[in-house]
Amino acid sequence: MGVTTENSEFHYLPLQAQALGAPVPPVERLTLDLPDGRRLSALRYGTGDPVVTLLHGAGLNAHTWDTTVLQLQQPVLAIDLAGHGDSDWREDADYSAASLAPDIALALQEWTTAAQVLVGQSLGGLTAAAVASAHADLVRELIVVDITPGIDTTADPAVLRAFYEGPTDFATRDELVDRAMSLGFGSTRPETERGVFLNTRVRADGRIEWKHHFAHLAAKALAGSAGATDTDAPRAIMDARGWDDLAGTAAPITLVRALRGFAGEDDAAEFERRVPGARVVQLDATHNVQETAPGELAELIRAAVVSPA
């Protein structure tokens, strides 16, 4: 991990580990040059070749998995999806699973040496299914967290819309933390400061902006910008074509349904009907299970790691 400073993306890990009574694993930032000129970024935790690969949801980044990784204590690869974290944005704003999956397949071919327990939350779950369907050799087990293909995620709370209607750049991170907390995001200020720090960057002009493309696209769409075009909005990220990906996946499949998340009982029942043999596990968590039930999720992932391939 090297030296952590207040400006390091890893400086929160020691305190998180201390709170959990867990050791801090070695961690490094990886970068992969893609054929179209974009760069894909990821975090590699632990020693040895990764056995688990984690894909986050829309508007998040690889660090959303930090607490889960600390409790998992396995070699892990956590990838920033295109348009998120330290990975480059897509010029076409196409963040569908079908467009994201080829990046992930290349990353697995470059950064792993064995078939992975591939875990994806929300948009990352649909992306993971697309990877597993197209590249059976790369995935030994698929865990989809709180998402099913075609699920309706458009009914965002008014507070979330209000958050993204605001500016996309700020004078300081404290200003953004204040705004987030005024709208009810984050249970404590330190927690909110961590989230803001890891999901923002400093521009050349010194202003703070969101790293993920979605915030900028959403702000344009909500403002009804006169200059907005079709590429100013994320494209059909919850496309129902994901059912074909799940049907085409040879690896064992588990759906993790968060009781306070997006996937309801009817969604889980449809999942079981459409994907015979799949397992459904319910956890008392919100949609971001990796943040609100990290221990339980880590145990589920660990069980997949130690099960016979």
Side-chain angles (χ1 to χ4, degrees):
M1 184 169 63
V3 177
T4 58
T5 70
E6 290 186 0
N7 294 321
S8 165
E9 65 177 306
F10 304 121
H11 82 267
Y12 293 99
L13 277 177
L15 284 177
Q16 289 176 276
Q18 184 179 21
L20 295 169
V24 182
V27 57
E28 62 178 330
R29 173 68 66 178
L30 305 177
T31 302
L32 177 65
D33 292 325
L34 299 171
D36 64 1
R38 290 180 298 114
R39 292 188 307 166
L40 191 73
S41 191
L43 300 175
R44 181 164 57 196
Y45 303 81
T47 58
D49 293 330
V51 296
V52 175
T53 294
L54 306 171
L55 307 180
H56 61 77
L60 301 174
N61 60 69
H63 280 291
T64 188
W65 299 101
D66 282 350
T67 307
T68 300
V69 170
L70 286 170
Q71 297 189 68
L72 181 58
Q73 291 296 312
Q74 296 283 342
V76 167
L77 181 67
I79 301 175
D80 284 332
L81 297 178
H84 296 76
D86 285 8
S87 291
D88 287 344
W89 296 357
R90 291 183 62 97
E91 290 186 3
D92 60 5
D94 184 353
Y95 295 107
S96 62
S99 293
L100 297 174
D103 294 353
I104 304 306
L106 288 173
L108 294 181
Q109 291 163 356
E110 177 71 20
W111 291 328
T112 70
T113 59
Q116 298 289 289
V117 175
L118 185 57
V119 185
Q121 182 256 342
S122 199
L123 174 58
L126 299 184
T127 303
V131 174
S133 177
H135 301 275
D137 58 313
L138 298 178
V139 182
R140 60 172 284 188
E141 187 158 339
L142 174 64
I143 300 176
V144 178
V145 181
D146 204 49
I147 198 68
T148 62
I151 198 170
D152 181 10
T153 61
T154 60
D156 293 326
V159 66
L160 188 58
R161 293 195 297 274
F163 189 55
Y164 284 126
E165 280 176 341
T168 57
D169 65 288
F170 303 84
T172 65
R173 286 191 169 101
D174 279 340
E175 180 182 335
L176 182 46
V177 170
D178 290 341
R179 175 172 173 76
M181 296 201 70
S182 72
L183 292 171
F185 293 101
S187 59
T188 66
R189 189 171 185 90
E191 175 189 314
T192 308
E193 287 173 346
R194 174 183 175 275
V196 166
F197 181 87
L198 294 173
N199 217 10
T200 57
R201 60 188 171 202
V202 182
R203 293 192 320 211
D205 63 1
R207 300 282 292 178
I208 304 298
E209 70 171 2
W210 291 111
K211 284 185 176 182
H212 64 89
H213 201 183
F214 276 35
H216 303 260
L217 297 172
K220 287 183 179 180
L222 290 168
S225 172
T229 67
D230 287 343
T231 58
D232 288 327
R235 305 216 183 131
I237 62 173
M238 300 306 173
D239 197 307
R241 287 176 297 181
W243 290 120
D244 292 335
D245 292 329
L246 290 165
T249 296
I253 301 174
T254 297
L255 170 66
V256 177
R257 183 173 87 84
L259 294 178
R260 293 173 283 129
F262 285 177
E265 292 183 3
D266 290 345
D267 299 309
E270 184 178 16
F271 193 95
E272 291 181 298
R273 180 179 66 81
R274 285 180 175 256
V275 191
R279 179 176 61 143
V280 176
V281 176
Q282 298 185 149
L283 294 181
D284 184 9
T286 63
H287 182 55
N288 293 347
V289 178
Q290 68 278 7
E291 297 178 0
T292 55
E296 294 87 343
L297 184 57
E299 283 299 320
L300 191 151
I301 297 170
R302 183 181 298 108
V305 170
V306 301
S307 66

